[in-house]
Every structure is written in structure tokens, then in C-alpha cells.
């Protein structure tokens, strides 16, 4: 059987890749994709702990379901805002959204 | 086991009231096509009613109790923060009524009320799942509110920036939550603390999880180094939303920050008081020094709000009942003060068409009342008696000294002096500079006028009559440090 630590390492790696994507990517859609990776890492972590250590407790499953819902809501609002900016300025690159600075 | 549904419902009366109000606004928005402006007054009346009903019917238990299957802790802290949020939402609604581009939009009030609902749950959540859900319920409507004016690209841009920062920090915080679950096998805050105490988890691992969680909370309170979003978002968002973000949303962040640190990490106190003290120092210096250079009043208020978060963090770092009650007092005072500030900025900004500080020249002649209100607000933000801000600062600095964090109190006082410089600069422009348009009077609508009067009376009242709110905050601080059964 695969040991728990492998899952945790995998999830940590996925989280770091997602965080790197969020910090390094220029396109707002790509940043949202990085966020999805981070949230998937969260879910893998929860499920791995649940499956290996706390099988009788159902709260992890509820937590995972709620993380899914919240991630979907965040992405939906994010894409709506990005489309609204894209229509006016023909760009979805975060660096070019620079009306506000100082 | 008998479940008393009626009692359970009564325990979350404000939240249920908000939910009903959301439904009412949604339905009326559909049918009142011609007179949507009245929706704002409906929301305001509803919030006022909820405020009064909560005051009369919901009495928090002396000793905190867990209800709703351990999801919610019924205590004085949750109670007092709910009142703060509802009051903040009601004042924001008044400012929205005075704003032509927001007043006729039913969905604005809907989103604002939903966000307030989330905040109420944030303040009393006693479970990681509930906490996460409440934080998301608060922030997702706020993304839309910040980007509400889709024709105005600055507003959309501020919505996107807020969303990207919020989503990233909340993912980091969630990752911290999963480790807490992994260490303890439960999502109940109080049980986590108990199991961490008897478990075999290395301290370093718990501290690492705590740092991850602090990233999410640090974002909500806009503490340095998680503050980058604040100036841009306040600058671009509609005025009432900027006011709401800088006050109620920040207060909600402090409510969860204090609860999480006190409840989950009582064993790591030495570590987190140091981290919070460092965050506080960084926020005060960065906020104040950058505020000195600002030419735009909205950005100045944004940096000032970062600095104010620093002062409030001193109260958290003190880790004592006095510190916590100072935090609550400070947040109440700050809510009234900053909402009044953004209200005045909105009025002047729409009359003059600019948010530059230089546009405030001659305001004392155009509208003596508004200029006087700005005087009260700026002096309260600067911590001058007899205004509310002074008492808040006094309490948090006293708490720091009581716990031996004298260096932190000294840094706080130095920063207060630095901050006074830019607050007084704004007053200098208002009172001493002349402008060509100073014979044109400045119109104040009845809604905005009402809100401003409430705020100013509140600022002076909290600065003079200290006992009632201080007593409440002390009770709240005592329950936060107690373990419920």
C-alpha cells in the first residue's frame, strides 16, 4: 500500500506548483488555474488524512465538498470580472490592468 | 437527545433575519421596477430592525456554549461583532442610497447583505468548515461589489485584484486548515486545541500550520506584508464599498484572528505574540510612511487603514483580556470613523469630480458642516481626545505595557505622531487653502447626511462615554479566553 507520506508530498508539490503559477503567471485566467491547483492540493491533503487516519469521521468529506463549491463560486466570479475587463480593454494580462497605482 | 429547534433558531436570530431580508430585497427588486431606489430604505429599515431585535431577544450566555452541532460558539464576542457588522452594513446602505450609480440597483443591497451574513457567521464560527464557508460567503460578494460598476474600468480592475489576492491567500489558509485537521482528526476549534495538547505532533509543524493560517487572516485585516491589494482596491471600488471593506471586513478578520489564535494555539502563545507584534510593527511603519507621500485621499485612507490595522494588532499581541477588549473598542471606534471618512470623500468626490487632496481646498467655506465632520474624523483617526480613536489607542497601548511589550507601545506612539502629520495636512488643505469655487455650496443628500450624523455622534459618544462599550468588550474578551462546554 502507498504510504500516507507520499500523498502528503504529492499534495505539497501540487500546492507549490499552483502557488508558483499564481505568482509567476501574467494572464489572469492562468492565475485562476494556479488557484485551482492549490485548492486541489488542499482536497488531496484532506482526503489522504481522512482515508489513512480518521476513517470514521465524516467532516473531511463535508469539508472537501464545500471547498469544491467555494472554488467554483470564486472561479465563476473571477471569470465574469475578467470578461468584463477584456471587453473594454481587449486584454486579460494582469500587468496591463494598471489603471490603479501609486 | 432532544433538540430544541426554537431555541436554536433564536440563537442565530440576526443571521436568520438577514436571510429573510435578503429574500425580501430579491423579491421586491423583481416587482418594484419603477421605484428601486426605495430598496435601499427597505434594506436600511430591515437592518435597523434586526439590530433592535438582536439587542432585545438574543442574550449571549455568560459562559460560552457551542450550538448547531459545534459549528457555532454562542458567546459575547460573536454577539458584539455581529452588532458591529450590522451597524456597518446599515451605514453603508445609507451611503449607497446617496450614490446615484448604486442606489437603483437591487443586487447591490443583496450582495452587501449576503456579505454581512457571512461576517456574522465568521465572528461566531467554532469549526474550521464553518469558518471557511463564512469567509467565502463574506468575500465572494465583496469581489462583485468591488467590481460593481462594470462601465468604470477602475472598478472592474479593483474587483479582479481583490479576487486574485483573496483567492490566493484563502487557498494558503485552507492548506493550513488541512494540516490542522491532519494533526488532530477534527475540525472543531476547541477539540483541535485539546488534541494538539495531548498529541505527538512536533511544535514546529503546528507553528508552520499556524503561519499558513495567518496568511489568510493577515490578508483580511490588510496587515503588512499582505496589504498590497488595499490601496488599489479602495481606490477603484465604489466609495461605499471601499468604506465597508476597510471597516466591517477588517473587523471580521480581527474576530477570526483573535478566536483562532486564542482557541487553537494557546500552547504556541510565545511564538504567535512575537509574530503578531512583528506584523503590527511592519503594518504601522509601512502604512504610515507610504501614507505620507499620497496625493489621493482614497489611497491616503487606504494606507492609513493599513497603519490602523497595525495599532489594533498591538492589542492582539498583548494576549490579555485588556488587549482583546481594546481590540473590540478600537474596531467599533474605527468602524464609525472610517465610514464617516469614506462618506465625506464620496460627497466631495462627486461634487468636485476628483479624489486629489488638493481638491479639498476651500471646503470649509463651501460646506462648513462637512469640513467640521472631516475635522472630527481626522482627529479621531489620529487619536486625539475627546474622540473615540483616542480611547481605542489608549486601551491597546495600555495592554501592551501591561504585558511588558513596552517597545511595541513606544513604536505605536511614534507612529501615532507620524500619522498625525498627514491627517493634519488634509485639515490644513480644507481650512487654510482657498479655491475659486468656494462660493458654490455643496449639496448633502438626506441619506448621506443621516449616516454622517450617526457616525459623528457615535465618534464623540464613544470618546466621552466609555463605560458601556468597554464593559461589553471586557465581557467579550473574557468569554473568548474561556473553553465552552
Amino acid at each position: 500500500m502507498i504510504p500516507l507520506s507520499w500523498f502528503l508530498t504529492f499534495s505539497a508539490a501540487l500546492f507549490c506548483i499552483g502557488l508558483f503559477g499564481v505568482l509567476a503567471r501574467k494572464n489572469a485566467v492562468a492565475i485562476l488555474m494556479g488557484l485551482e491547483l492549490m485548492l486541489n492540493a488542499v482536497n488531496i491533503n484532506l482526503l489522504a488524512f481522512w482515508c489513512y487516519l480518521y476513517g470514521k469521521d465524516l467532516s473531511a468529506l463535508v469539508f472537501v465538498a464545500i471547498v469544491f463549491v467555494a472554488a467554483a463560486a470564486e472561479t465563476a466570479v473571477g471569470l465574469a470580472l475578467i470578461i468584463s475587463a477584456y471587453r473594454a480593454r481587449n486584454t486579460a494580462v494582469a500587468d496591463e490592468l494598471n489603471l490603479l497605482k501609486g | 437527545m432532544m433538540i430544541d429547534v426554537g431555541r436554536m433558531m433564536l440563537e442565530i436570530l440576526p443571521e436568520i433575519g438577514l436571510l429573510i431580508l435578503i429574500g425580501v430585497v430579491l423579491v421586491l427588486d423583481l416587482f418594484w421596477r419603477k421605484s428601486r431606489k426605495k430598496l435601499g430604505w427597505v434594506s436600511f429599515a430591515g437592518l435597523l430592525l434586526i439590530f433592535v431585535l438582536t439587542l432585545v431577544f438574543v442574550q449571549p450566555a455568560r459562559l460560552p456554549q457551542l450550538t448547531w452541532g459545534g459549528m457555532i460558539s454562542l458567546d459575547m464576542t460573536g454577539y458584539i461583532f455581529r452588532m458591529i457588522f450590522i451597524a456597518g452594513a446599515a451605514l453603508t446602505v445609507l451611503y449607497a442610497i446617496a450614490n446615484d450609480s448604486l442606489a437603483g440597483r437591487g443586487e447591490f443591497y443583496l450582495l452587501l447583505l449576503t456579505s454581512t451574513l457571512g461576517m456574522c457567521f465568521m465572528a461566531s464560527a467554532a469549526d474550521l468548515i464553518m469558518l471557511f464557508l463564512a469567509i467565502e460567503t463574506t468575500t465572494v460578494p465583496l469581489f462583485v461589489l468591488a467590481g460593481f460598476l462594470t462601465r468604470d474600468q477602475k472598478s472592474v480592475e479593483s474587483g479582479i485584484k481583490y479576487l486574485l489576492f483573496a483567492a490566493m491567500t484563502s487557498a494558503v489558509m485552507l492548506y493550513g486548515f488541512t494540516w490542522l485537521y491532519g494533526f488532530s482528526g477534527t475540525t472543531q476549534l476547541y477539540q483541535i486545541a485539546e488534541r494538539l495538547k495531548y498529541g505527538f505532533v512536533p511544535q514546529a509543524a503546528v507553528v508552520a500550520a499556524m503561519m499558513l493560517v495567518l496568511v489568510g487572516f493577515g490578508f483580511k485585516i490588510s496587515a503588512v506584508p499582505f496589504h498590497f491589494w488595499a490601496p488599489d482596491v479602495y481606490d477603484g471600488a465604489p466609495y461605499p464599498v471601499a468604506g465597508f471593506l476597510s471597516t466591517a471586513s477588517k473587523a471580521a478578520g480581527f474576530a477570526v484572528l483573535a478566536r483562532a489564535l486564542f482557541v487553537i494555539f494557546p500552547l504556541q502563545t510565545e511564538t504567535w505574540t512575537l509574530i503578531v507584534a512583528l506584523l503590527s510593527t511592519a503594518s504601522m511603519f509601512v502604512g504610515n510612511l507610504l501614507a505620507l507621500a499620497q496625493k489621493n485621499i482614497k489611497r491616503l485612507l487606504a494606507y492609513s487603514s493599513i497603519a490602523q490595522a497595525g495599532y489594533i494588532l498591538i492589542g492582539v499581541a498583548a494576549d490579555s483580556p485588556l488587549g482583546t477588549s481594546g481590540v473590540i473598542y478600537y474596531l467599533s471606534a474605527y468602524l464609525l470613523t472610517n465610514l464617516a471618512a469614506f462618506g465625506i470623500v464620496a460627497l466631495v468626490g462627486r461634487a468636485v469630480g476628483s479624489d486629489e487632496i488638493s481638491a479639498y481646498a476651500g471646503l470649509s467655506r463651501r460646506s462648513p458642516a462637512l469640513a467640521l465632520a472631516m475635522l472630527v474624523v481626522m482627529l479621531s483617526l489620529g487619536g486625539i481626545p475627546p474622540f473615540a480613536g483616542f480611547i481605542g489607542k489608549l486601551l491597546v497601548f495600555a495592554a501592551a505595557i501591561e504585558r511588558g511589550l513596552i517597545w511595541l507601545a513606544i513604536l505605536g506612539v511614534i507612529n501615532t505622531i507620524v500619522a498625525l502629520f498627514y491627517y493634519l495636512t488634509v485639515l490644513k488643505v480644507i481650512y487654510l487653502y482657498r479655491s475659486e469655487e468656494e462660493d458654490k455650496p455643496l449639496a448633502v443628500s438626506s441619506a448621506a447626511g443621516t449616516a454622517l450624523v450617526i457616525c459623528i455622534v457615535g465618534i464623540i459618544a464613544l470618546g466621552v462615554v466609555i463605560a458601556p462599550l468597554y464593559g461589553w468588550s471586557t465581557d467579550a474578551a473574557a468569554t473568548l479566553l474561556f473553553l465552552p462546554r
Side-chain angles (χ1 to χ4, degrees):
Chain A
M1 198 167 143
I2 305 170
L4 172 63
S5 59
W6 288 27
F7 281 98
L8 298 181
T9 314
F10 170 58
S11 125
L14 193 62
F15 183 82
C16 293
I17 293 169
L19 189 61
F20 178 76
V22 170
L23 296 175
R25 281 312 192 114
K26 298 270 184 266
N27 192 309
V29 179
I31 296 178
L32 283 183
M33 287 161 72
L35 282 169
E36 288 303 308
L37 287 188
M38 290 167 84
L39 291 172
N40 282 340
V42 164
N43 280 345
I44 291 171
N45 233 2
L46 277 174
L47 288 176
F49 278 128
W50 170 74
C51 183
Y52 280 80
L53 299 177
Y54 312 113
K56 284 181 192 151
D57 177 49
L58 289 182
S59 53
L61 296 183
V62 179
F63 208 158
V64 168
I66 286 178
V67 171
F68 270 128
V69 175
E74 256 171 17
T75 315
V77 173
L79 288 176
L81 285 169
I82 291 170
I83 288 173
S84 159
Y86 184 81
R87 274 196 189 140
R89 283 194 261 165
N90 235 346
T91 177
V93 178
D95 281 359
E96 290 172 23
L97 300 175
N98 53 6
L99 290 177
L100 304 166
K101 53 183 160 183
Chain B
M1 192 174 81
M2 273 289 290
I3 294 175
D4 186 350
V5 178
R7 191 179 57 81
M8 284 173 75
M9 289 291 179
L10 191 64
E11 283 161 355
I12 55 165
L13 182 80
E15 285 85 356
I16 291 179
L18 279 169
L19 201 61
I20 295 173
L21 187 60
I22 289 168
V24 169
V25 171
L26 194 63
V27 172
L28 288 182
D29 184 43
L30 208 58
F31 290 109
W32 285 3
R33 293 199 166 269
K34 296 244 169 71
S35 52
R36 288 219 176 103
K37 287 212 162 180
K38 283 185 201 149
L39 280 176
W41 290 107
V42 171
S43 313
F44 179 67
L47 284 167
L48 218 55
L49 185 70
I50 295 169
F51 192 87
V52 173
L53 285 181
T54 312
L55 217 52
V56 175
F57 288 109
V58 185
Q59 288 303 324
R62 279 281 137 190
L63 294 174
Q65 302 165 348
L66 296 176
T67 57
W68 290 87
M71 287 283 160
I72 286 176
S73 164
L74 190 72
D75 54 23
M76 195 67 192
T77 318
Y79 180 75
I80 199 164
F81 271 105
R82 279 158 164 177
M83 301 311 248
I84 292 179
F85 303 143
I86 293 172
L91 291 168
T92 309
V93 164
L94 283 182
Y95 290 130
I97 295 172
N99 190 324
D100 291 330
S101 46
L102 302 175
R105 307 278 295 272
E107 63 270 30
F108 181 86
Y109 305 111
L110 186 82
L111 289 165
L112 189 71
L113 292 171
T114 315
S115 181
T116 314
L117 177 69
M119 288 176 188
C120 289
F121 278 125
M122 263 168 92
S124 41
D127 190 290
L128 289 182
I129 302 177
M130 189 68 214
L131 190 57
F132 171 65
L133 192 60
I135 290 177
E136 290 299 305
T137 316
T138 309
T139 42
V140 172
L142 284 175
F143 305 149
V144 188
L145 287 175
F148 195 77
L149 304 172
T150 43
R151 300 255 167 85
D152 175 6
Q153 277 307 305
K154 281 173 92 176
S155 170
V156 173
E157 189 176 316
S158 88
I160 295 179
K161 284 188 173 160
Y162 187 47
L163 177 129
L164 293 178
F165 265 98
M168 181 181 84
T169 48
S170 97
V172 175
M173 177 190 72
L174 258 184
Y175 193 65
F177 282 0
T178 64
W179 282 102
L180 288 178
Y181 173 76
F183 295 152
S184 62
T186 173
T187 53
Q188 225 289 320
L189 297 189
Y190 295 92
Q191 286 175 14
I192 291 176
E194 222 155 83
R195 295 200 194 166
L196 285 181
K197 201 186 291 177
Y198 300 114
F200 304 96
V201 184
Q203 286 292 307
V206 179
V207 170
M210 179 175 78
M211 304 274 241
L212 291 171
V213 172
L214 275 180
V215 171
F217 297 161
F219 163 82
K220 292 278 326 160
I221 61 175
S222 66
V224 174
F226 315 109
H227 67 289
F228 295 102
W229 60 280
D232 284 358
V233 173
Y234 291 2
D235 191 3
Y239 298 101
V241 178
F244 192 66
L245 269 176
S246 73
T247 53
S249 173
K250 192 183 288 253
F254 272 104
V256 289
L257 175 77
R259 192 185 289 275
L261 288 179
F262 290 141
V263 171
I264 309 180
F265 304 108
L267 292 181
Q268 287 77 25
T269 307
E270 279 180 18
T271 317
W272 68 250
T273 44
L274 183 66
I275 296 175
V276 170
L278 290 178
L279 284 179
S280 154
T281 314
S283 304
M284 288 188 295
F285 275 103
V286 172
N288 281 328
L289 293 179
L290 289 178
L292 286 176
Q294 296 306 315
K295 301 267 181 290
N296 179 313
I297 186 95
K298 274 172 129 183
R299 298 188 83 88
L300 180 127
L301 283 174
Y303 284 109
S304 122
S305 107
I306 294 168
Q308 302 278 350
Y311 302 131
I312 306 173
L313 278 174
I314 295 179
V316 180
D319 177 39
S320 65
L322 180 62
T324 314
S325 52
V327 168
I328 296 172
Y329 204 100
Y330 202 124
L331 283 170
S332 320
Y334 177 69
L335 178 104
L336 292 169
T337 315
N338 231 33
L339 278 177
F342 274 98
I344 298 168
V345 169
L347 284 169
V348 176
R350 285 155 48 73
V352 182
S354 161
D355 291 327
E356 297 301 309
I357 295 173
S358 54
Y360 283 69
L363 183 70
S364 62
R365 290 181 179 76
R366 286 188 77 172
S367 172
L370 269 190
L372 195 64
M374 200 61 165
L375 178 81
V376 171
V377 166
M378 287 295 159
L379 292 184
S380 175
L381 281 176
I384 304 286
F387 303 115
F390 169 70
I391 309 293
K393 283 207 173 62
L394 187 71
L395 288 175
V396 291
F397 293 159
I401 291 168
E402 183 198 58
R403 300 287 292 189
L405 288 165
I406 295 170
W407 61 276
L408 194 56
I410 292 174
L411 290 180
V413 172
I414 291 173
N415 269 288
T416 312
I417 299 165
V418 174
L420 259 182
F421 176 76
Y422 60 82
Y423 293 133
L424 292 180
T425 307
V426 176
L427 292 179
K428 182 180 77 176
V429 174
I430 290 177
Y431 276 97
L432 298 182
Y433 288 14
R434 310 288 296 252
S435 90
E436 292 164 4
E437 297 182 334
E438 64 189 33
D439 48 342
K440 288 186 205 150
L442 209 149
V444 178
S445 70
S446 58
T450 317
L452 276 180
V453 169
I454 296 173
C455 287
I456 300 297
V457 170
I459 292 169
I460 296 171
L462 284 187
V464 178
V465 190
I466 303 152
L469 182 61
Y470 181 67
W472 276 14
S473 332
T474 313
D475 288 351
T479 57
L480 198 59
L481 303 166
F482 238 102
L483 283 184
R485 282 287 138 235

